Amino acid sequence: MMETTQTDGLVPETDVSVRTLAGIHWVYPEERFSLLRVGANSIGRDPQADIHLEDRQVSRRHATILYTHSQTALRDDGSRNKTHVNGVESKWALLTDNDVIRIGSWVGVVGVHATDEFITGCFEEPVPGVVAGPRTRTLWQRLALAAQSTIPIVVQGETGTGKEVFASGVHQLSGRTGPLIAVNCSALTDSLAEAQLFGHARGAFTGAVAASEGYFAAAHGGTLFLDEIADLAPPHQAKLLRAVETLQVTPVGSTTPRSVNVRIVCATQAPLWQLVEQGTFRSDLMARLNGLTVQLPPLRTRREEVFHLFRRFLGVHRSAPENFKTLFVEGLCMHDWPLNVRELAQAAKRCQVITSHEWPLSTRQLPMLIERRVSVPTSPAGPPSPVSSALDPDITDLVGSRTAAWFHRHRSELQGLLEALERRDRNVSRAASDVGMSRQRAQRLLAVWSRVQQGQR
């Protein structure tokens, strides 16, 4: 018999053959995970609430999350300090994955259709100095299984997602006794790439006053990390293929091959098969390297990690919750971080330098730390960004209530999309791909954005 679930305000659900999970990963003022059950989940200061949040800014019966296996909605229950979704006061809002909600002083990230790993809701340190969050734990579990083998690994991900950190993790978990040698393939010069990779004999070319073993030989017994491998010129790809197949290298100026014992880990921003289709990468080399491919998710798709990582980058002396205002944490989580973890780390370093006497941190510091216009809650001390000013609740009159609600839910993606369009000469498909968005959603966002701009003139 087919199960039917009736949830107040949502479409009745009649097909739940595929069970999904959802929950809230609270990031501030403390880290906690709240699993949602099907039906109404009350949130409030009342100890009897399904999600009990002890905070004087939270009403006893503050809000309710209505959850089915296909829809999740948040309803404010007449709270004193209101309920906010992605920085916008909301009496009712459909929630999607990675939405940021604020209940009193509590800030949380929504996980809809979440994996079992997300549901555990904790951070781990799979190798020293590396953080695995709820959505990246599965990657590290796969890594632990593959690290002991010699299978080549391709790490895909946007700039700043931590591809080299991942390669370092492979090396640490592999148990290999040799070193980890990292090579930036985009920095190899055409004339010297072969000598840099495979070594050269003394006098092999002008300036070769001494022999060099090359990167492959230097990584003997360890791991060779080839970063930005897509930038390796085609002639050198052929030579790399030979070395990977035979695990032998012949230094420039020598006729004697040398056996090397290396584990190959490569990194690329674009999938190798895509580069093969474009004719810029050899298909046989891709087949040889593509033993296991790991896709690192961008930071904007794992917002529950943002504040945790930011505090970690700041260090123990500045990571206490009292050093942050609620709106600062909310704004930090809502930013799209187009340069990912690298950009977040730089923001933390900037914070240590330019805000040394301005604690606790508030939204007034956000523009200085991020150094760009971002869609974040603004304080009276700072002007709103162009995107923020166009997202006031009165846009309902311009586009209708349903479109306005959808636009508010996805507005944090708009700033990154607009900037990607500038980089991509207004090519919507490429810009959407850059920010990890479907072309259809990008076109809809831009269409609504255009209507809002025209209506506010």
Side-chain angles (χ1 to χ4, degrees):
M1 181 176 181
M2 195 172 293
E3 179 182 346
T4 300
T5 303
Q6 177 70 52
T7 306
D8 182 24
L10 296 182
V11 177
E13 185 168 276
T14 58
D15 184 2
V16 291
S17 57
V18 179
R19 290 290 182 179
T20 58
L21 299 170
I24 308 297
H25 190 114
W26 302 101
V27 301
Y28 178 86
E30 64 181 73
E31 289 180 354
R32 182 195 304 177
F33 187 81
S34 299
L35 179 65
L36 299 178
R37 58 179 177 81
V38 173
N41 299 261
S42 59
I43 305 175
R45 200 174 69 250
D46 188 339
Q48 301 304 313
D50 297 310
I51 301 176
H52 174 231
L53 302 178
E54 189 55 51
D55 176 16
R56 63 182 182 180
Q57 295 189 42
V58 176
S59 300
R60 288 185 62 82
R61 291 285 177 173
H62 195 108
T64 299
I65 293 182
L66 307 166
Y67 171 60
T68 73
H69 288 294
S70 60
Q71 298 177 82
T72 308
L74 179 63
R75 180 190 69 205
D76 184 83
D77 292 334
S79 65
R80 182 178 71 254
N81 291 315
K82 311 305 179 184
T83 299
H84 296 78
V85 178
N86 296 324
V88 177
E89 182 183 321
S90 303
K91 293 183 178 179
W92 173 272
L94 285 173
L95 299 177
T96 58
D97 196 46
N98 263 296
D99 278 346
V100 179
I101 66 173
R102 171 161 50 93
I103 306 287
S105 295
W106 286 77
V107 177
V109 177
V110 178
V112 179
H113 307 301
T115 63
D116 290 337
E117 287 76 19
F118 185 91
I119 295 304
T120 62
C122 299
F123 294 93
E124 296 178 354
E125 192 167 343
V127 294
V130 173
V131 173
R135 298 180 204 256
T136 55
R137 187 178 295 109
T138 301
L139 295 179
W140 286 98
Q141 290 173 346
R142 291 175 62 194
L143 171 65
L145 293 173
Q148 299 292 328
S149 71
T150 59
I151 186 173
I153 295 178
V154 176
V155 186
Q156 293 176 188
E158 298 177 6
T159 181
T161 49
K163 296 187 287 293
E164 187 165 356
V165 171
F166 199 87
S168 175
V170 171
H171 180 67
Q172 292 182 61
L173 291 172
S174 70
R176 298 179 70 86
T177 57
L180 169 67
I181 301 296
V183 181
N184 183 357
C185 293
S186 62
L188 297 176
T189 58
D190 285 345
S191 59
L192 295 177
E194 184 179 356
Q196 291 170 310
L197 287 171
F198 310 127
H200 61 79
R202 180 175 180 270
F205 50 84
T206 302
V209 295
S212 172
E213 63 178 359
Y215 291 125
F216 264 84
H220 183 70
T223 303
L224 182 64
F225 174 53
L226 300 174
D227 195 12
E228 302 296 350
I229 192 169
D231 291 339
L232 196 63
H236 303 309
Q237 291 179 24
K239 294 182 173 65
L240 177 61
L241 171 64
R242 177 69 177 170
V244 174
E245 283 182 332
T246 64
L247 289 182
Q248 287 187 331
V249 296
T250 302
V252 175
S254 171
T255 58
T256 305
R258 172 181 176 179
S259 296
V260 289
N261 174 17
V262 295
R263 170 67 168 284
I264 304 292
V265 180
C266 304
T268 174
Q269 294 189 40
L272 291 182
W273 63 262
Q274 195 175 85
L275 302 175
V276 170
E277 289 184 348
Q278 295 170 0
T280 60
F281 202 81
R282 294 177 61 104
S283 59
D284 50 1
L285 180 56
M286 181 199 73
R288 177 60 64 179
L289 295 175
N290 197 19
L292 173 67
T293 298
V294 177
Q295 180 71 49
L296 297 187
L299 193 56
R300 63 180 172 275
T301 66
R302 43 188 173 113
R303 297 186 190 276
E304 69 281 348
E305 293 187 24
V306 171
F307 187 54
H308 181 94
L309 291 171
F310 186 77
R311 291 171 62 186
R312 186 183 181 96
F313 291 141
L314 282 179
V316 293
H317 299 298
R318 291 297 192 186
S319 63
E322 58 267 21
N323 283 326
F324 309 92
K325 295 290 188 181
T326 303
L327 291 183
F328 175 87
V329 177
E330 181 186 45
L332 206 68
C333 293
M334 286 168 52
H335 182 49
D336 276 343
W337 303 104
L339 300 181
N340 295 290
V341 179
R342 183 179 294 127
E343 182 183 355
L344 181 65
Q346 286 297 105
K349 290 179 182 178
R350 200 174 297 123
C351 176
Q352 293 174 321
V353 174
I354 67 178
T355 63
S356 56
H357 305 294
E358 301 181 28
W359 299 79
L361 299 178
S362 67
T363 52
R364 188 163 60 91
Q365 281 84 34
L366 274 174
M368 292 184 290
L369 300 184
I370 296 174
E371 286 194 342
R372 61 191 301 132
R373 289 176 178 260
V374 292
S375 179
V376 297
T378 56
S379 65
S385 72
V387 173
S388 298
S389 62
L391 295 173
D392 294 334
D394 61 3
I395 71 167
T396 299
D397 298 332
L398 299 174
V399 298
S401 58
R402 292 185 64 181
T403 300
W406 177 88
F407 193 54
H408 279 309
R409 290 199 305 275
H410 299 291
R411 82 197 199 291
S412 62
E413 300 169 309
L414 179 60
Q415 186 72 49
L417 176 61
L418 293 174
E419 292 167 357
L421 279 170
E422 291 296 324
R423 296 193 303 269
R424 290 295 193 174
D425 296 323
R426 316 304 295 175
N427 186 305
V428 176
S429 296
R430 292 181 177 179
S433 177
D434 284 352
V435 298
M437 184 187 304
S438 69
R439 186 172 182 272
Q440 291 78 9
R441 178 183 289 182
Q443 289 177 321
R444 186 180 179 192
L445 267 175
L446 294 171
V448 178
W449 170 240
S450 178
R451 289 169 62 186
V452 169
Q453 284 187 307
Q454 292 174 4
Q456 291 185 340
R457 287 171 182 166

